[in-house]
Amino acid sequence: MSWLIDPFADFAFMQRALLGCLAISLGATPVGVFLLLRRMSLTGDAMAHAILPGAAVGYLVAGLNLGAMTIGGVAAGLVVAVLTGAVARFTALREDASLAAFYLISLALGVLLVSLKGSNVDLMHVLFGTVLALDDAALTLLCAIATVTLVALALVYRPLVLECADPRFLRSVSRWSGPVHFLFLGLVVLNLVAGFQALGTLMAVGIMILPAAAARFWATSIGGMLAVAACVAAISSVAGLLASYHAGLPSGPAIILAAGTLYLLSLVFGPSGSLAARFWPRAHLEA
Amino acid sequence: MALRVRDLTLGYDRHPAVHHLDLELAEGSLTAIVGPNGAGKSTFLKGVMGELPPLEGKIERGAARVAYLPQLSEVDRSFPLSVKAFVAMGLWHRTGAFGGLSRADLSRVGEALAAVGLTGFERRPISALSGGQVQRVMFARLLLQDADLILLDEPFTALDAKTAADLLAVVQRWHGEGRTVLAVLHDIEAVRRHFPETLLLAREKVAHGPTDTVLTAENLFRARQMSEAFDDDANVCARLAEQPAKRGAA
């Protein structure tokens, strides 16, 4: 058992990495579950790219400074989210096409800004994360974002569920439809920024979507999915960090691959809607 | 007055679909909207709900609370919700965005499900329901909305006779309770039997009043002709075309 406990007991950087990943597991996975239920799984991916120019501007202005890169990332993400939502609501273009247009513009801008400063090892941290080097400020930020996310989701749970399940009904009984949609996109951006502190912009979406996709094969209620997804993310975090420690693997991809493994296992063996349920059905209910 | 509409024109991309409609619905009236496909029936209900802003004219809703069953519902039936949770959304006016469901609210949900013949379905996921059961669930939610004005867009289409009869009984219960009901229907015989008032619509109002005076062979023939005539020239409002000076405003 010592291989399981010792890395976390002996090394402060492993403890900090674990705490950071658990915070992300709690905050990002419920957002991922709602993305999945709204058929917006790829939105997370697009948004992660949209954040890049903001983080790059922060980096160019202030160097590898957490505050500047966070503010830049959140600002860029929110601008794309608001423009996307506004175009989808007020013009003939659908949300997916509108988002694709804005995130591609944003991504090109980001790549341009990144290349201005030439290749830089620090910048690799932005792209691939620095979970093994989280400082106090980064940890505080991760925990704060997780807290804000959970409180916000608890508050708008009913309008959010209704906006997903029957948006037209929500519009007929209240004015929540627009606000709850934008608030949700705001939470997506916040959690992607949290994720890229630890896992990098490219890996941040993984901890959001893979646990949610795995949870779909285990639970048939929203509450059940939220719980399973958080557990999958937490287990992936521990497993990924241990693999990273013992085998010398980069931690971000190790965590996401652990989540990917759990997803594939769920896909095959999960009790609800999985391949096993499809190809080896149990006998139907008989009186 | 549950609903008053004055000179209402509704349309899409400035192409009118409902022309210069004047209409008054008395409180507690039970009215069928009848007309050919493309006559503007659904568009009219969308206008009343405020989903479509009027191009011209005014809609005054006297009713405090309006409930609406659209024809093409945007319900995501794969969404993991139980029948109970789905129907309970009809209590939004009591709970708002943040309030919880009281014990009394839960018993209201049970009563609504009983009224549509779905007792015992509380814990089923909505994904496991048949088309008819989904419509029963929609009616249970409408019951909980406790609305003064209820708009139904083809509520009985694609239902078997038993389900249609059960849900018609719910409509008649609303009528008995003094609520105003406005329903788009295609089954002329059912309208004659069960709906005291009828609005015959073919882009314009053809007739409105007691059903037996509205659903005459002559009116129905005229509605079909008007609808076909409009389709040939659907891009511009006929009344404005007669007044070339105002065409720019169309």
Side-chain angles (χ1 to χ4, degrees):
Chain A
M1 286 300 279
S2 66
W3 61 272
L4 200 62
I5 310 241
D6 284 355
F8 298 115
D10 294 347
F11 297 102
F13 75 89
M14 286 294 281
Q15 291 166 10
R16 307 175 79 89
L18 184 63
L19 177 59
C21 288
L22 291 180
I24 294 171
S25 301
L26 282 177
T29 53
V31 172
V33 166
F34 280 103
L35 277 175
L36 184 94
L37 290 175
R38 303 198 66 181
R39 302 168 195 215
M40 288 167 63
S41 301
L42 292 173
T43 298
D45 196 36
M47 276 296 179
H49 290 84
I51 288 169
L52 190 61
V57 167
Y59 176 75
L60 289 178
V61 171
L64 197 60
N65 173 304
L66 179 71
M69 284 166 54
T70 300
I71 293 168
V74 170
L78 290 182
V79 166
V80 169
V82 167
L83 286 176
T84 298
V87 166
R89 268 160 202 263
F90 299 123
T91 75
L93 211 57
R94 294 281 192 140
E95 181 110 21
D96 58 337
S98 166
L99 176 61
F102 283 118
Y103 106 75
L104 289 167
I105 294 170
S106 194
L107 177 62
L109 199 61
V111 172
L112 191 84
L113 288 170
V114 165
S115 68
L116 282 183
K117 201 141 182 177
S119 73
N120 189 307
V121 179
D122 285 344
L123 208 55
M124 291 301 284
H125 289 306
V126 179
L127 295 176
F128 296 105
T130 51
V131 71
L132 297 180
L134 290 173
D135 59 11
D136 283 349
L139 272 184
T140 310
L141 183 77
L142 292 184
C143 293
I145 288 178
T147 308
V148 167
T149 304
L150 290 178
V151 171
L153 283 178
L155 279 176
V156 302
Y157 184 79
R158 183 176 291 136
L160 182 59
V161 166
L162 206 38
E163 170 72 10
C164 303
D166 192 354
R168 205 163 172 189
F169 177 78
L170 181 63
R171 288 198 296 275
S172 82
V173 295
S174 82
R175 296 178 183 279
W176 266 98
S177 177
V180 81
H181 181 69
F182 284 115
L183 185 85
F184 177 66
L185 285 178
L187 290 178
V188 172
V189 171
L190 263 185
N191 280 282
L192 286 172
V193 171
F196 93 65
Q197 308 290 343
L199 304 169
T201 47
L202 299 178
M203 295 288 125
V205 197
I207 202 71
M208 200 174 259
I209 297 299
L210 282 170
R216 194 74 169 104
F217 296 111
W218 295 97
T220 51
S221 69
I222 306 172
M225 278 183 73
L226 293 173
V228 172
C231 290
V232 168
I235 293 168
S236 310
S237 299
V238 174
L241 285 172
L242 284 174
S244 151
Y245 177 86
H246 289 298
L249 303 172
S251 51
I255 291 168
I256 302 307
L257 281 175
T261 307
L262 288 176
Y263 163 74
L264 290 173
L265 289 173
S266 307
L267 172 72
V268 177
F269 300 110
S272 164
S274 65
L275 290 174
R278 169 84 171 74
F279 291 106
W280 301 285
R282 292 182 295 166
H284 65 79
L285 299 174
E286 287 181 84
Chain B
M1 196 63 56
L3 181 70
R4 176 182 288 137
V5 169
R6 290 203 186 288
D7 192 32
L8 176 71
T9 297
L10 295 164
Y12 305 93
D13 287 338
R14 304 195 313 164
H15 294 176
V18 173
H19 289 253
H20 306 290
L21 182 68
D22 287 299
L23 184 72
E24 288 193 2
L25 288 188
E27 261 171 50
S29 57
L30 173 56
T31 309
I33 305 182
V34 175
N37 285 328
K41 306 182 295 294
S42 300
T43 304
F44 174 54
L45 293 191
K46 278 187 209 167
V48 174
M49 282 310 293
E51 286 188 7
L52 198 63
L55 297 177
E56 206 180 333
K58 260 204 325 213
I59 301 169
E60 294 168 43
R61 301 196 321 199
R65 204 177 296 145
V66 185
Y68 174 39
L69 178 65
Q71 179 185 8
L72 295 172
S73 123
E74 290 174 14
V75 176
D76 178 359
R77 281 172 59 185
S78 69
F79 199 83
L81 272 184
S82 67
V83 166
K84 186 172 86 177
F86 187 84
V87 170
M89 291 171 183
L91 292 168
W92 181 281
H93 61 279
R94 301 180 62 83
T95 62
F98 308 120
L101 293 170
S102 66
R103 195 175 290 257
D105 288 333
L106 288 175
S107 75
R108 281 191 187 89
V109 171
E111 284 163 24
L113 284 173
V116 298
L118 287 182
T119 301
F121 280 68
E122 282 87 347
R123 299 175 68 85
R124 293 266 188 104
I126 54 171
S127 57
L129 299 179
S130 71
Q133 287 168 337
V134 166
Q135 199 69 343
R136 286 173 188 264
V137 163
M138 302 302 280
F139 266 72
R141 190 172 70 176
L142 285 170
L143 274 165
L144 289 179
Q145 284 188 265
D146 191 23
D148 311 296
L149 172 61
I150 300 164
L151 309 175
L152 307 170
D153 199 346
E154 301 199 18
F156 308 133
T157 303
L159 298 181
D160 65 23
K162 171 79 168 73
T163 306
D166 287 355
L167 297 184
L168 182 64
V170 174
V171 171
Q172 282 165 334
R173 168 179 156 183
W174 285 327
H175 184 48
E177 290 167 349
R179 303 176 200 272
T180 312
V181 181
L182 187 57
V184 173
L185 293 172
H186 279 297
D187 183 348
I188 300 277
E189 285 316 306
V191 171
R192 280 191 219 280
R193 276 199 302 277
H194 304 292
F195 285 75
E197 307 261 319
T198 296
L199 164 67
L200 182 55
L201 199 64
R203 305 242 175 182
E204 287 186 55
K205 180 170 80 181
V206 179
H208 173 229
T211 296
D212 48 1
T213 66
V214 170
L215 292 184
T216 60
E218 185 192 353
N219 278 343
L220 288 170
F221 180 70
R222 204 153 68 87
R224 202 165 59 235
Q225 275 196 320
M226 284 168 68
S227 178
E228 285 163 4
F230 264 115
D231 280 341
D232 294 335
D233 185 24
N235 292 346
V236 292
C237 173
R239 290 192 188 180
L240 290 179
E242 289 160 13
Q243 304 164 21
K246 280 178 72 180
R247 183 177 282 228

